[in-house]
Amino acid sequence: MQKKIEEIRKSQGKLLVKNVKYSWDNIPYYKQKMKEAGLKPEDIKGLEDIHKLPFLSKADLRYHYPYGLIATPLDNVVRFHSSSGTTGIPTVVPYTKRDIELWAELNKRCLETVGATHKDIVQVSYGYGLFTGGLGLHYGAERLGAAVIPTSSGNTMRQIKILKDMKTTTLACTPSYALMLSEVIKSNEMKVDELSLKRGVFGAEPWSENMRKRIEKGLGLEAFDIYGLTELCGPGVGIECSEHNGLHTWSDHFIVETIDKDGNKTDVDGEGKGELVFTTLQREAMPVLRYRTKDLSWITWEECACGLLHPRIGRITGRSDDMLIVRGVNVFPSQIEEVLMELKGVGDHYQIIVDRDILDKLMIKVEVTNEIFSDSISELISLEKEIKKRLFEMLSLSVDVELVEPGQIPRPEGKAKRVIDLRKDM
Ligand code: ADP
Ligand code: ZN
């Protein structure tokens, strides 16, 4: 086992050396960055030298928008995608024909890992277009030989009719949209056993274990976490296996590291917690070396019972820039979600609002379920108290809680916007 891992890391090193040379030769900005760091390609002899390379950030990509970091002539580019722009100006990413093929292969592998085969019917309810979610899963499922239903996101009633009539077995969408589908199914008094769903691959945004439980119950399937980002290709970078103990990342395509906030490696022994940093090993149009994702996680090369020898990363708890600082306390939206989704009576949708009076104020707007909404007012009061108590225990912060009736919070079709930070507008 250890020997096999050493072999994998050795071949990662070889691909890294090749990629460094390729980037130096073809991307003037990389050459400049490496020169500034006092490096020549021959200084990178293997995986052990990766830490010498400078980082690449989203800001670098934005600065060189749109064509500045392309390593091939534009003639060889067959597609562009763009990130969602969750944290600012979207970044634009080019693909050669080979990049598209390899990306499809990664998504095929992801689908295989969750047990899908050519016999499955895969409904892709991620948005199609510049966003990578829809087309990424689409090409992967087609490469697998499965039957793809490219519904894209939105038009929820039609999605549900298709799920039912066409006997979809595999659903791909954001976890928040999966929850919304389950909510609409329930409110239309449809039963989960009218559907043929076996599994879902949900990603593109953070989601908690308690949200997983709700989705699994609401749609009658096994929910798998899928991870990716446009700068690396899109979805398909990592996937949970049936052990649900982290997400395997494909070692022949990516080197993954973790670093602390000062950029020091935290995975020196092959394991560690921190910000994920990725190096692509096979991309042609826009390879990235040590790309800082801002996504927080951990890495392990420990053996997985599923037999895959690809290292695992933990479920992403959030981005370093998602973290809210409220009266000096660090708050991650995912912590709040974990508390809320555990409580009976709390619906599937919530919003976190931060404002400043004299001090910062944290307010959570929480939709309640239809059941509790029609119950007595005392039930609602005790739910509100319970939420406040649990949030205080978790965050050591007093939080204002507003319970709202079902349907009051906007439903996302793609990534949910859960945080409204009014302090930024001041
Ligand atoms: P943007 O960075 O603008 O949202 P992308 O559409 O490329 O653009 O989204 C990639 C980001 O989405 C990742 O960096 C990560 O923050 C988030 N993401 C993707 N998949 C997951 C997942 N399974 N769990 C948590 N976050 C995810
Ligand atoms: Zn596994």
Side-chain angles (χ1 to χ4, degrees):
M1 169 71 191
Q2 202 49 40
K3 211 161 165 233
K4 276 194 184 147
I5 291 176
E6 273 163 28
E7 273 168 28
I8 294 171
R9 304 194 96 181
K10 226 178 176 170
S11 59
Q12 284 190 313
K14 278 190 186 150
L15 287 169
L16 172 70
V17 170
K18 223 169 115 188
N19 195 19
V20 168
K21 174 92 175 56
Y22 177 74
S23 302
W24 167 283
D25 287 343
N26 295 293
I27 310 171
Y29 180 62
Y30 271 52
K31 193 173 190 168
Q32 179 200 325
K33 264 187 104 136
M34 281 181 63
K35 276 187 171 169
E36 280 166 12
L39 285 172
K40 288 212 176 81
E42 46 278 22
D43 296 326
I44 309 299
K45 296 190 177 69
L47 200 55
E48 64 285 4
D49 294 324
I50 193 167
H51 67 278
K52 294 181 183 162
L53 290 166
F55 294 113
L56 188 75
S57 69
K58 221 173 178 112
D60 288 316
L61 264 61
R62 285 177 179 145
Y63 186 74
H64 291 92
Y65 167 90
Y67 296 144
L69 296 179
I70 300 189
T72 50
L74 264 184
D75 293 10
N76 295 347
V77 171
V78 298
R79 173 115 52 94
F80 287 103
H81 279 285
S82 152
S83 68
S84 310
T86 310
T87 56
I89 304 163
T91 51
V92 170
V93 177
Y95 301 67
T96 62
K97 191 161 179 285
R98 182 163 183 271
D99 290 335
I100 295 283
E101 273 162 20
L102 291 181
W103 182 30
E105 176 60 26
L106 295 186
N107 279 285
K108 173 183 173 245
R109 281 191 201 170
C110 286
L111 288 164
E112 280 170 339
T113 305
V114 303
T117 70
H118 65 281
K119 294 191 177 143
D120 278 291
I121 299 175
V122 182
Q123 186 161 330
V124 181
S125 308
Y126 281 111
Y128 279 61
L130 276 173
F131 175 54
T132 50
L135 286 165
L137 264 309
H138 180 110
Y139 274 57
E142 262 188 18
R143 197 172 172 98
L144 181 67
V148 186
I149 314 179
T151 46
S152 191
S153 54
N155 204 340
T156 303
M157 285 317 291
R158 192 177 67 169
Q159 298 266 5
I160 292 170
K161 185 167 164 38
I162 292 173
L163 275 178
K164 182 168 171 249
D165 296 350
M166 297 185 67
K167 301 191 171 37
T168 304
T169 59
T170 306
L171 174 67
C173 60
T174 59
S176 48
Y177 194 59
L179 256 191
M180 178 172 149
L181 286 169
S182 76
E183 180 187 34
V184 177
I185 286 170
K186 193 169 169 206
S187 63
N188 281 276
E189 288 173 16
M190 263 174 77
K191 297 253 156 30
V192 165
D193 51 22
E194 291 176 58
L195 303 176
S196 310
L197 282 169
K198 289 185 190 153
R199 65 187 76 79
V201 280
F202 305 123
E205 61 183 1
W207 51 306
S208 60
E209 282 302 319
N210 286 326
M211 187 156 164
R212 187 204 304 266
K213 286 185 201 140
R214 285 185 176 216
I215 295 173
E216 291 191 330
K217 187 158 175 260
L219 292 174
L221 47 67
E222 184 173 356
F224 294 89
D225 195 0
I226 184 165
Y227 170 75
L229 55 157
T230 313
E231 294 82 357
L232 301 181
C233 63
V237 175
I239 184 78
E240 272 181 344
C241 63
S242 52
E243 299 296 318
H244 298 284
N245 56 0
L247 291 80
H248 289 282
T249 56
W250 308 112
S251 56
D252 48 341
H253 287 263
F254 308 104
I255 295 171
V256 54
E257 309 168 76
T258 46
I259 55 166
D260 66 17
K261 61 179 183 353
D262 300 319
N264 301 312
K265 265 169 92 71
T266 52
D267 65 326
V268 182
D269 300 309
E271 300 192 19
K273 276 186 189 166
E275 177 186 340
L276 293 175
V277 171
F278 278 92
T279 297
T280 59
L281 295 174
Q282 305 219 29
R283 282 176 64 78
E284 287 179 338
M286 201 185 86
V288 294
L289 299 175
R290 303 196 91 199
Y291 180 68
R292 287 188 69 154
T293 63
K294 300 204 172 168
D295 292 331
L296 301 173
S297 183
W298 46 258
I299 312 173
T300 180
W301 279 86
E302 237 172 59
E303 196 169 355
C304 180
C306 78
L308 279 178
L309 276 178
H310 298 273
R312 281 172 286 135
I313 56 170
R315 267 152 73 71
I316 314 290
T317 44
R319 311 190 196 216
S320 53
D321 47 10
D322 270 354
M323 190 181 78
L324 297 162
I325 302 181
V326 181
R327 278 175 261 149
V329 178
N330 298 347
V331 178
F332 278 100
S334 55
Q335 294 175 296
I336 294 175
E337 180 177 301
E338 196 70 46
V339 167
L340 295 177
M341 293 289 139
E342 204 168 32
L343 290 167
K344 211 166 160 253
V346 168
D348 296 333
H349 304 274
Y350 63 93
Q351 256 175 356
I352 301 165
I353 301 155
V354 199
D355 203 353
R356 181 168 293 145
D357 204 347
I358 295 169
L359 289 170
D360 293 336
K361 262 183 17 188
L362 182 62
M363 195 186 66
I364 324 271
K365 230 184 204 182
V366 184
E367 259 189 41
V368 295
T369 59
N370 276 313
E371 290 82 8
I372 193 168
F373 190 66
S374 44
D375 276 352
S376 70
I377 190 89
S378 65
E379 293 274 333
L380 286 170
I381 294 172
S382 61
L383 177 63
E384 189 182 311
K385 274 196 186 149
E386 186 62 23
I387 296 174
K388 281 188 175 168
K389 180 172 150 260
R390 292 201 189 194
L391 287 174
F392 187 79
E393 282 165 5
M394 168 159 280
L395 306 170
S396 307
L397 263 183
S398 57
V399 177
D400 291 340
V401 173
E402 185 190 349
L403 298 183
V404 298
E405 63 184 279
Q408 290 292 298
I409 292 174
R411 276 24 182 181
E413 289 180 353
K415 300 189 190 220
K417 179 158 173 51
R418 306 228 191 260
V419 179
I420 302 171
D421 193 344
L422 297 167
R423 298 173 303 183
K424 289 187 179 152
D425 302 332
M426 290 169 99

